[in-house]
Amino acid sequence: MANRPLRIVIAKAGLDGHDRGAKVIARALRDAGMEVIYTGLFQTPEQIVQTAIQEDADGIGLSILSGAHMTLFPLVLEQLKAQDAEDVVFFGGGTIPPEDADELRKRGVKAVFTPGAPLQEIIDFVEAECGKRRELVG
Amino acid sequence: MIDRPNGSGAKTAPGYLRTGPGSGAMDRTISDVPLETVYEPDDVTRVNEPPGEYPYTRGIHKNGYRDRLWTMRQFAGFGNAKQTNERYHFLLSQGQHGLSVAFDMPTLMGYDSDAPQARGEVGKCGVAIDSLRDMEQLFDGIDMGDITTSMTINGPAAIAVAQYIAAAEKKGIPRTALGGTIQADILKEYIAQKEWIFPPRPHMRVIVDMIEFCTAEMPKWNTISISGYHIREAGSTAAQELAFTLADGFAYVEAAMARGLDVDSFAPRLSFFFNSHIDFFEEIAKFRAARRIYAKRMRERYGAKNPKSWQLRFHTQTAGCSATAQQPENNIVRVAFEAMAAVLGGTQSLHTNSMDEVLALPTEKSVEIALRTQQVLAYETNVTNVVDPLGGSYFVEALTDEMERQAEAYFQQIEEYGGVIEAIEAGFFQKEIAEASYRYQRSIESKDRIIVGVNQFQRDEEQLDMDLLKITEEVAQGQARSLQDLRATRDNGKVQQTLDRLQQACRDEHDNLMPHLIDCVNAYCTEGEIVEAMVGVYGRYTERSVF
């Protein structure tokens, strides 16, 4: 089990069709040796967390560019809690103003990446944080 | 502001040196088109193509901008109809020529503001329009017979046109007097923007119904705005944007001709919408090539006889994807260059992005700067004085030819799939774009591409010194209350009756949907109700995602 690659769910929620970022991140994480499950568009927070649990994912990366981040990120956090999956590393990105990003981090989103964030930094973050989770959960 | 350490500061970055790895590639365009160091007379193969003459490479007007400037049209919409109406009054008072409606996601996807799918999205990236009531409010105090309006909506485009007609007719303005454009380009939704409702084939029927209706009843209305903007934003190259957009355009032409419409009856009212990205000359070449390819096809393949049918008219928006969240003030400069490329490329109308759009919807202040950028361009730089001033440039002419060549190669591939819809179903466009966008992102990672403030010339401390526009959840609550009130006070018998008739029409290929949609709208059916009725017949589309 220990050598199994990290598994990451990359998710798009709500009605937001901007999937360029999500796809680029999915591809970059895959190229970095992880197993990536891309949910496709228009997922509900419930579906996203379900997917993560079913796939035994180490992390969820949520991409939102429609302005609905302050609703949908907290709903995913709620679902993680409700389904006893708070160990899953939850991060995200998109068109998110700094003030909102701070607030989301306070509420438990592990990292918020905005446009321009280098892929390597995202990969490093996922490897480190999800790696820690893997050590704890096994 | 963001979860990452910043790179080296500006102090250590040698801005004047561009050699060696990590300093940006100079031997190709942003789309990886290889470039010579210098271009020479031999690189130009074409003889002079005068502006205003077929194939219009140098522009569709003989006198260029001397006779008429481009239309300065800023896309706007946020919150509820009342808030957006106020912004429209402001923009018109500042010298803007036409309006451009941005709808919120639920409206674009055909959901009412109180639908569960709309959670968190109401009024966020555009204005919420649930029913005719909102459309009336949106144009309150605005003379709909005097201005032109562009509406960026695709899935429910036919419903939006019906609402616009109904709102105008309530003010006593006949539909024949309405000027404007509806985007209604559903093909690029499957390719790039992903705001679809029905599967491609029934969606095409709805679009052709609308083209047919507007051709007969709305002489000043542009029935479709075939859009490359979103294809480019999704990560395509310039040539892909050009080729995929024109291929979509030809698909609509073929569909309308298959309906029995004479090409010259509808083609003069087709228009295009392109992106203006940061690679200055490549963009200019792209616009020039677009006109030439379009003219040739319309005349030679589709047999159009009216020169208006050969002329590709286009709106341009500066590239949202070229804007950076880092040092957002720099976006003002990017926008200015991109806008100039659009003007040198001969655009008919232009939207300049606001510097803060990479973080939120723009504030009034940043929108004003964006509009002023166009005014400086139009009135101070004098680039408008001479038609196609870059015509004859060895480089620009060679690059125009190269764009055309690459587009033709893509047309060939699309034809091998059997057409645009077949290529969509096979995931061809989606794969090509995903591939290009990943390559581009990698080139930024490797510093093969330099983005100022992002991978070079960063500030040690990123500090945002800017107010951002906030949309509160009150908008959603207000829309929900208004919907409740609407459903309680309208004639619900009539609602049901009009929706039933619409469903029947959906099942009958020979019945045009537009009159039925206008009836539904006038009965104050909500957009969500109308869409549900249609989904009952057509179903909803789901995508097989590729990355």
Side-chain angles (χ1 to χ4, degrees):
Chain A
M1 273 307 265
N3 289 330
R4 180 166 76 82
L6 293 172
R7 304 193 94 186
I8 310 296
V9 169
I10 295 296
K12 288 293 301 180
L15 299 177
D16 177 20
H18 297 87
D19 58 2
R20 174 178 182 170
K23 286 181 169 185
V24 166
I25 303 294
R27 177 93 179 260
L29 296 179
R30 190 177 70 192
D31 286 358
M34 299 177 216
E35 286 181 4
V36 180
I37 299 104
Y38 171 50
T39 61
L41 296 168
F42 314 132
Q43 303 291 303
T44 64
E46 294 79 2
Q47 288 170 321
I48 291 166
V49 172
Q50 265 310 311
T51 305
I53 291 169
Q54 278 163 15
E55 298 283 349
D56 191 18
D58 302 291
I60 299 176
L62 177 63
S63 158
I64 297 181
L65 289 87
S66 68
H69 48 272
M70 293 313 281
T71 304
L72 294 170
F73 274 94
L75 283 173
V76 171
L77 282 169
E78 245 172 57
Q79 282 299 313
L80 284 169
K81 196 164 179 187
Q83 314 230 19
D84 203 16
E86 283 173 289
D87 55 297
V88 176
V89 177
F90 181 39
F91 62 101
T95 316
I96 299 173
E99 216 182 292
D100 292 352
D102 286 343
E103 177 61 27
L104 290 175
R105 277 189 292 264
K106 257 185 237 154
R107 294 203 205 167
V109 180
K110 285 273 163 34
V112 178
F113 299 97
T114 48
L119 291 178
Q120 196 53 51
E121 190 186 308
I122 299 171
I123 295 166
D124 292 346
F125 161 85
V126 174
E127 279 176 345
E129 289 298 316
C130 295
K132 266 193 259 169
R133 185 251 174 200
R134 178 63 70 77
E135 275 170 30
L136 286 175
V137 181
Chain B
M1 62 175 274
I2 34 179
D3 271 17
R4 63 188 189 85
N6 276 288
S8 60
K11 291 180 290 287
T12 54
Y16 54 90
L17 268 184
R18 280 195 64 182
T19 51
S23 56
M26 299 178 79
D27 58 352
R28 64 201 113 112
T29 69
I30 200 171
S31 304
D32 285 332
V33 175
L35 295 175
E36 307 293 335
T37 307
V38 65
Y39 283 78
E40 295 178 351
D42 288 354
D43 296 314
V44 180
T45 53
R46 298 182 74 87
V47 291
N48 184 29
E49 296 167 322
E53 286 179 31
Y54 180 89
Y56 305 105
T57 309
R58 305 195 59 196
I60 59 172
H61 300 301
K62 185 164 60 94
N63 297 325
Y65 294 121
R66 283 204 185 196
D67 289 343
R68 192 179 170 194
L69 280 175
W70 66 90
T71 304
M72 299 178 192
R73 192 190 295 279
Q74 297 293 95
F75 188 42
F78 60 97
N80 59 33
K82 187 167 182 293
Q83 288 168 303
T84 300
N85 176 264
E86 282 163 15
R87 176 72 64 96
Y88 289 167
H89 280 284
F90 168 76
L91 286 168
L92 291 171
S93 74
Q94 294 304 302
Q96 175 163 310
H97 309 133
L99 296 177
S100 178
V101 187
F103 296 94
D104 70 355
M105 295 306 287
T107 307
L108 292 172
M109 297 295 290
Y111 293 107
D112 287 337
S113 296
D114 57 356
Q117 290 88 345
R119 278 184 301 190
E121 312 265 15
V122 176
K124 287 287 165 62
C125 57
V127 58
I129 302 293
D130 288 318
S131 73
L132 175 57
R133 203 189 257 190
D134 293 323
M135 191 63 96
E136 290 171 80
Q137 173 76 67
L138 189 63
F139 290 95
D140 189 43
I142 295 170
D143 184 352
M144 295 170 78
D146 185 48
I147 50 137
T148 60
T149 301
S150 166
M151 292 195 280
T152 300
I153 189 163
N154 299 276
I159 303 171
V161 172
Q163 287 172 337
Y164 194 75
I165 292 171
E169 291 187 340
K170 277 191 180 282
K171 293 187 188 202
I173 299 160
R175 58 186 75 166
T176 48
L178 298 177
T181 305
I182 184 93
Q183 194 164 78
D185 175 7
I186 199 64
L187 292 172
K188 67 96 172 51
E189 296 298 334
Y190 305 111
I191 293 176
Q193 179 154 297
K194 318 291 170 100
E195 289 154 11
W196 52 64
I197 300 175
F198 323 121
R201 290 165 207 271
H203 240 319
M204 281 299 273
R205 181 234 162 146
V206 180
I207 301 289
V208 177
D209 277 6
M210 203 187 64
I211 293 177
E212 188 178 40
F213 173 87
C214 295
T215 300
E217 309 222 6
M218 299 177 81
K220 291 165 68 182
W221 193 257
N222 294 314
T223 44
I224 187 164
S225 168
I226 305 137
S227 306
Y229 186 80
H230 320 83
I231 292 174
R232 193 67 182 278
E233 289 290 302
S236 82
T237 64
Q240 287 170 346
E241 178 196 354
L242 175 65
F244 298 171
T245 309
L246 289 174
D248 287 349
F250 300 139
Y252 295 118
V253 169
E254 287 171 21
M257 288 175 74
R259 177 70 65 92
L261 295 175
D262 172 16
V263 64
D264 285 316
S265 75
F266 65 86
R269 286 195 272 141
L270 300 178
S271 65
F272 285 80
F273 171 23
F274 290 112
N275 197 300
S276 191
H277 213 292
I278 196 73
D279 193 309
F280 194 72
F281 293 107
E282 183 171 65
E283 294 304 280
I284 296 167
K286 178 185 78 185
F287 301 129
R288 301 173 89 251
R291 276 191 298 265
R292 183 195 292 160
I293 298 168
Y294 187 72
K296 291 207 293 205
R297 275 258 177 150
M298 292 305 286
R299 187 162 98 167
E300 288 163 24
R301 180 174 292 197
Y302 302 122
K305 295 193 177 56
N306 183 350
K308 292 251 179 254
S309 304
W310 308 333
Q311 295 168 359
L312 180 143
R313 296 169 300 129
F314 68 102
H315 172 70
T316 307
Q317 179 170 340
T318 58
C321 59
S322 72
T324 67
Q326 296 75 16
Q327 307 173 32
E329 296 87 346
N330 296 347
N331 294 329
I332 298 175
V333 182
R334 294 188 177 98
V335 165
F337 287 128
E338 292 167 357
M340 187 178 274
V343 167
L344 293 176
T347 195
Q348 273 63 54
S349 70
L350 180 60
H351 167 101
T352 34
N353 287 339
S354 300
M355 61 174 155
D356 49 356
E357 283 181 78
V358 67
L359 295 165
L361 287 187
T363 60
E364 200 156 287
K365 165 106 183 140
S366 65
V367 172
E368 188 182 335
I369 294 171
L371 178 60
R372 298 290 179 241
T373 304
Q374 293 201 40
Q375 290 163 342
V376 169
L377 191 53
Y379 297 100
E380 296 184 23
T381 64
N382 279 349
V383 297
T384 52
N385 290 1
V386 171
V387 191
D388 187 35
L390 291 169
S393 146
Y394 308 136
F395 174 40
V396 170
E397 294 293 352
L399 199 52
T400 302
D401 291 348
E402 176 61 19
M403 287 286 126
E404 182 181 15
R405 197 192 58 74
Q406 291 198 11
E408 293 289 349
Y410 270 121
F411 296 153
Q412 185 68 39
Q413 272 182 286
I414 295 164
E415 262 171 44
E416 280 160 19
Y417 278 98
V420 170
I421 290 182
E422 289 77 5
I424 287 171
E425 288 167 345
F428 168 69
F429 302 108
Q430 300 91 316
K431 265 183 255 163
E432 285 287 312
I433 295 170
E435 199 57 49
S437 84
Y438 190 59
R439 214 166 42 230
Y440 176 71
Q441 197 60 40
R442 279 288 175 204
S443 73
I444 293 170
E445 295 291 303
S446 66
K447 296 199 181 182
D448 219 15
R449 301 261 158 239
I450 298 298
I451 314 278
V452 174
V454 171
N455 64 359
Q456 191 70 280
F457 314 116
Q458 298 101 317
R459 269 188 207 137
D460 290 333
E461 275 298 295
E462 233 355 291
Q463 263 210 341
L464 190 73
D465 183 20
M466 198 181 264
D467 295 326
L468 295 176
L469 184 75
K470 276 209 164 296
I471 309 292
T472 63
E473 290 309 314
E474 279 159 33
V475 173
Q477 290 153 13
Q479 286 301 115
R481 274 195 305 274
S482 161
L483 277 166
Q484 244 178 3
D485 174 69
L486 180 79
R487 292 189 188 112
T489 53
R490 67 187 179 180
D491 178 348
N492 281 305
K494 200 164 171 207
V495 165
Q496 199 49 54
Q497 195 185 39
T498 55
L499 289 175
D500 287 346
R501 284 205 199 116
L502 175 66
Q503 276 203 323
Q504 280 167 21
C506 286
R507 292 195 185 92
D508 178 2
E509 287 281 328
H510 302 290
D511 200 355
N512 191 303
L513 295 175
M514 283 306 297
H516 299 287
L517 288 170
I518 294 171
D519 288 346
C520 289
V521 162
N522 272 319
Y524 287 92
C525 299
T526 66
E527 189 208 33
E529 291 164 343
I530 297 171
V531 165
E532 270 318 306
M534 297 173 78
V535 165
V537 180
Y538 296 143
R540 254 181 213 279
Y541 179 71
T542 47
E543 177 190 51
R544 196 167 45 87
S545 302
V546 283
F547 71 89

